[in-house]
Each structure stands twice: as C-alpha cells, then as structure tokens.
Amino acid sequence: DTGVSQDPRHKITKRGQNVTFRCDPISEHNRLYWYRQTLGQGPEFLTYFQNEAQLEKSRLLSDRFSAERPKGSFSTLEIQRTEQGDSAMYLCASSSVQGANYGYTFGSGTRLTVV
Amino acid sequence: ELKVEQNPLFLSMQEGKNYTIYCNYSTTSDRLYWYRQDPGKSLESLFVLLSNGAVKQEGRLMASLDTKARLSTLHITAAVHDLSATYFCAVDMSWNRDDKIIFGKGTRLHILP
C-alpha cells in the first residue's frame, strides 16, 4: 500500500483556465476528503465522499468547484475559471468508516498557483 | 460552528528546553488528532487521542486530551532542532454527527540550535 496519492504535485495555470486534480486513496478506505490549505493557515474542509456518494460540501466550495468519485475509488477535484484566490495547496485524505480510531491519512497535496 | 484555537501560533525556543502547545475547541468531541507539517510538505499523523484522559508519547513529544475542558496539549521535552515544524491539532466532528475533522491554525515551532 503506497498511501494516498495525489496528482499533479504542482500546477501553474493562468487565471480563467480550468484545472483538475486527482486523488487515489488507500485502497480499503471508503471515505475520501478534500481540504484546501493557504499559506500560514490550517487545512480547511471542502468536501467528502463515502464510497461514491458526496455527503457534504463546504460553503467554501463555490459553483466553480466540483468533485467526483465515480466508482468509489479515486476522486477528482475540478476548478473552473480559476481565480488568483484559488491558489493554495489542495490536500486529499482518506479513512475507513472506523477511521476516527486510526486517524486520517493525507496525500502529498497538489500545489496550485494561478497567475 | 466549531472553533479550534491553538496557542501559541509561533514559538521559537532553544534546544534542550521544554514547552507546551495548547489546543482548545468549542464543541463536544471525544477525538482529537495531532499532525506535523514540514514546509511545503503534507501532513504527518503524530497522535490519535480517542477518549478523555488519553495520553500518548512518542520520543520527545507527548499529547493529552481533556474532553471535559475541551483541551488538548502537545508537550515537547528537551527540544531538538529536528522538531522544527508546524504542528496542527484537528478535532473530530463525529460526536456531532459530522464526519470530518476541523483543524486549528497551527503552531509554527522553530527550535534554535
């Protein structure tokens, strides 16, 4: 098991472009989370999935953001019409249903820079 | 809305000294996590605290949880330079039927050689 994988590690995009990030969770984990972290701040919750169902979305997730987990395995986070304020580290985490007892495993993150 | 407050937010200390980082939270929870983050890196799990009175130790770090006081502490004993990093506490919301964790702003720890 290689842990939680995120791709790409870095993304530089021009304002107004669309970007998509991928997260591959630990295989036996059925819960998957997306967080966003800006410089000097703690990670902020964006959304989470249990299997393929998206169960909660934060107010931070504007209409320009969409996340999917089509087969309950990997997930994608898409940002449309990127803005400079979207520049951040996007972190993915996974856990099992009993995950609270073992913690949440985070991926290495995707650092997005919007220029 | 849950608030998670860490203090101090920044700590500069000399090697060999002891210090404590505090994490207060505003709603009922019986689970709390501590993570370490190095610059430009992701989050490394340090401790999972699952009940009131839980205490866990790993090397020079010791974490505790008091759910009645809604307080967790991360104690550093005889600090060494390698412990320089940002430390986050995160509170589990499942007590509130909300399956996510909420992070504090982090404590940036700088240990001077």
Side-chain angles (χ1 to χ4, degrees):
Chain A
D1 190 351
T2 56
V4 178
S5 299
Q6 290 189 245
D7 183 70
R9 294 290 304 275
H10 304 275
K11 178 71 176 179
I12 300 175
T13 191
K14 292 183 177 180
R15 189 174 55 186
Q17 298 294 306
N18 300 344
V19 294
T20 300
F21 311 141
R22 176 179 171 125
C23 172
D24 287 88
I26 292 172
S27 57
E28 60 266 29
H29 285 180
N30 56 2
R31 286 187 175 171
L32 186 149
Y33 301 80
W34 286 98
Y35 283 79
R36 180 174 69 187
Q37 185 178 24
T38 52
L39 200 61
Q41 299 296 316
E44 297 173 298
F45 170 79
L46 292 178
T47 188
Y48 96 95
F49 294 82
Q50 182 161 312
N51 301 314
E52 65 274 11
Q54 188 174 18
L55 296 186
E56 185 175 348
K57 294 193 290 185
S58 163
R59 292 191 304 267
L60 295 174
L61 217 62
S62 76
D63 291 344
R64 298 184 297 105
F65 288 72
S66 63
E68 294 182 341
R69 194 182 182 196
K71 297 182 179 179
S73 56
F74 73 91
S75 175
T76 58
L77 178 68
E78 181 184 15
I79 309 174
Q80 295 182 328
R81 304 181 303 281
T82 52
E83 301 173 357
Q84 286 190 322
D86 297 332
S87 295
M89 174 80 90
Y90 290 83
L91 295 164
C92 176
S94 71
S95 75
S96 62
V97 173
Q98 296 80 27
N101 293 337
Y102 303 99
Y104 298 71
T105 304
F106 281 81
S108 297
T110 294
R111 181 169 296 282
L112 173 66
T113 303
V114 181
V115 297
Chain B
E1 182 179 327
L2 173 66
K3 291 184 179 179
V4 181
E5 295 185 349
Q6 287 184 236
N7 71 84
L9 295 181
F10 181 79
L11 176 59
S12 181
M13 56 191 290
Q14 290 194 315
E15 279 193 323
K17 300 292 187 183
N18 303 333
Y19 209 83
T20 301
I21 298 169
Y22 298 89
C23 174
N24 292 89
Y25 53 97
S26 62
T27 193
T28 302
S29 177
D30 61 352
R31 295 187 182 113
L32 187 139
Y33 312 90
W34 284 95
Y35 288 88
R36 168 181 172 147
Q37 187 175 41
D38 292 297
K41 305 294 184 181
S42 188
L43 298 163
E44 174 191 355
S45 178
L46 293 176
F47 298 109
V48 178
L49 303 170
L50 298 178
S51 61
N52 185 42
V55 178
K56 291 197 173 178
Q57 183 164 3
E58 181 73 32
R60 301 175 187 272
L61 300 178
M62 183 173 70
S64 66
L65 177 62
D66 181 343
T67 59
K68 293 180 180 177
R70 300 179 182 174
L71 170 69
S72 179
T73 61
L74 180 66
H75 186 74
I76 303 150
T77 302
V80 293
H81 181 67
D82 286 351
L83 290 179
S84 296
T86 299
Y87 293 86
F88 292 97
C89 65
V91 177
D92 192 289
M93 294 290 287
S94 58
W95 182 275
N96 302 284
R97 300 186 178 184
D98 195 357
D99 294 313
K100 61 179 178 279
I101 57 175
I102 303 297
F103 285 83
K105 290 189 174 183
T107 296
R108 188 174 163 195
L109 178 62
H110 182 51
I111 298 172
L112 304 168

